[in-house]
Amino acid sequence: MIKVAKAVMRIMGELDEQDMFSNPVITVFPTIKTDYLKKVPNPMDFKTIGRKIRTCYKQTKDFQRDLILVFSNCCQYNGNNSKYGKYAISIWQKLTDAFHTACIEEGIELGSDL
């Protein structure tokens, strides 16, 4: 799980060409902290996920849930049709492919139903 998770994070980081999701929003934009936390009760970012890989994720679904949270939080705060929401959705839609690629890179056999 750890090797695949690290590979997924590398791929997601490459997809995030604008570097929007690499650090906590409230760290990068401290002036919106209060408003952001009112609208987004569970902030998540790639840096936090990276720190959690070794110790917190017992199952792949928990790791995937946090990745989805990164993008859904962006949409929740900015709106799906905002430029930020559209950017988040464009990366979110590539999440399954990122997992698939990471598994192949790590030599994990995938079922034909993926």
Side-chain angles (χ1 to χ4, degrees):
M1 156 70 193
I2 292 173
K3 287 183 179 183
V4 171
K6 286 183 176 184
V8 168
M9 291 309 299
R10 178 187 49 75
I11 294 165
M12 298 311 290
E14 291 169 2
L15 291 171
D16 182 15
E17 295 174 351
Q18 296 180 24
D19 204 30
M20 269 184 46
F21 305 113
S22 60
N23 290 294
V25 170
I26 60 176
T27 300
V28 178
F29 302 103
T31 58
I32 67 165
K33 179 178 179 177
T34 302
D35 185 53
Y36 187 80
L37 293 175
K38 282 181 189 174
K39 294 178 181 176
V40 178
N42 298 306
M44 189 53 60
D45 58 90
F46 291 168
K47 185 176 186 176
T48 301
I49 293 171
R51 284 196 305 253
K52 293 173 70 175
I53 287 175
R54 285 209 178 273
T55 58
C56 294
Y57 299 120
K58 303 297 182 213
Q59 297 181 340
T60 304
K61 68 180 181 178
D62 299 325
F63 170 62
Q64 188 175 26
R65 186 178 303 123
D66 274 354
L67 280 167
I68 292 169
L69 190 58
V70 171
F71 307 118
S72 64
N73 283 349
C74 180
C75 292
Q76 183 176 340
Y77 187 76
N78 297 292
N80 290 354
N81 292 319
S82 70
K83 67 178 181 178
Y84 304 114
K86 288 177 181 179
Y87 179 72
I89 291 167
S90 73
I91 298 173
W92 188 351
Q93 290 173 331
K94 297 172 183 164
L95 187 55
T96 299
D97 289 339
F99 270 90
H100 185 87
T101 299
C103 287
I104 291 170
E105 287 176 2
E106 294 304 321
I108 295 172
E109 297 272 335
L110 299 172
S112 60
D113 59 343
L114 288 179

